[in-house]
Amino acid sequence: YTGEASVRVGLYKGDDRLPLQGADPSQRTYKVATVQLLPQSENVFIIYKSGWHAAEFTADSSTEWYWSQKSGIVNFKNPRKDVTLYLEMDARVDLFTPPQQVTLVVAGKPVRTITADSAKPLLHRVPLTAAELGTDDMVELRFDVDRTFVPAQLPGGGSDTRELGVRIFHLFVEPK
């Protein structure tokens, strides 16, 4: 199904549905949201290869991220068409002036450079052409960060001796 869909809720006590106040009641259910369902896009599975630290989570496990090293590589099956790379990332902008630069490299060729200038997760939409992805069955996408830091070398940085670049929250490839 594609198109507009409604989300409706109702409240039960035992086997009885209870009346509530709200707009558009129908069989004691109430419309709380409307969503637009779009055709399912192709799923492009991302494989984090070298240059990434293990996934980290917030205390309540609601948010996950990966820290890059100076260079981090991901692979995905080549869709052989133009794509949009959705990249949600942040950086330690307090440590770098000017901000870090992240160069995306495919098959040894730089294709885009992104400025890591946000201390909050920021979504970047990066168009990549089929020609930039190459002709191999698998695409190797490398993230080269121009400058990194080691937390243990910072005031109050503790004992964390990892080399850190930028923090990636979401990475998704959508074929056009």
Side-chain angles (χ1 to χ4, degrees):
Y1 174 81
T2 59
E4 189 173 280
S6 296
V7 179
R8 302 184 70 83
V9 297
L11 181 63
Y12 283 88
K13 182 176 182 180
D15 291 333
D16 298 323
R17 189 175 299 181
L18 302 176
L20 300 172
Q21 290 185 359
D24 190 28
S26 173
Q27 298 178 354
R28 294 190 177 173
T29 68
Y30 302 84
K31 186 175 180 179
V32 294
T34 302
V35 294
Q36 186 69 25
L37 299 176
L38 301 173
Q40 184 175 355
S41 63
E42 297 175 45
N43 185 18
V44 177
F45 183 69
I46 304 284
I47 302 166
Y48 283 83
K49 300 291 271 188
S50 61
W52 303 96
H53 294 287
E56 297 180 45
F57 305 87
T58 54
D60 64 359
S61 298
S62 63
T63 306
E64 174 187 49
W65 65 86
Y66 292 89
W67 276 104
S68 77
Q69 296 174 21
K70 184 155 182 67
S71 205
I73 295 173
V74 297
N75 288 101
F76 57 90
K77 185 177 177 186
N78 192 342
R80 302 192 190 289
K81 58 176 86 169
D82 295 352
V83 302
T84 300
L85 173 72
Y86 293 91
L87 170 64
E88 186 179 21
M89 72 176 187
D90 71 6
R92 289 289 308 268
V93 297
D94 57 320
L95 300 179
F96 300 102
T97 303
Q100 294 163 290
Q101 300 294 308
V102 180
T103 302
L104 304 179
V105 180
V106 177
K109 298 176 187 168
V111 293
R112 298 286 184 286
T113 298
I114 300 169
T115 300
D117 59 357
S118 179
K120 296 179 182 177
L122 182 64
L123 181 63
H124 300 270
R125 292 172 182 85
V126 183
L128 297 171
T129 66
E132 288 172 323
L133 297 178
T135 58
D136 291 343
D137 289 338
M138 294 294 289
V139 175
E140 181 176 282
L141 176 61
R142 193 174 76 225
F143 294 75
D144 287 342
V145 182
D146 66 342
R147 290 165 287 154
T148 60
F149 67 99
V150 176
Q153 296 173 353
L154 301 173
S159 60
D160 187 350
T161 59
R162 297 177 299 165
E163 174 193 41
L164 303 178
V166 293
R167 197 161 56 152
I168 305 295
F169 290 86
H170 295 102
L171 182 59
F172 180 73
V173 175
E174 180 180 46
K176 291 186 179 183

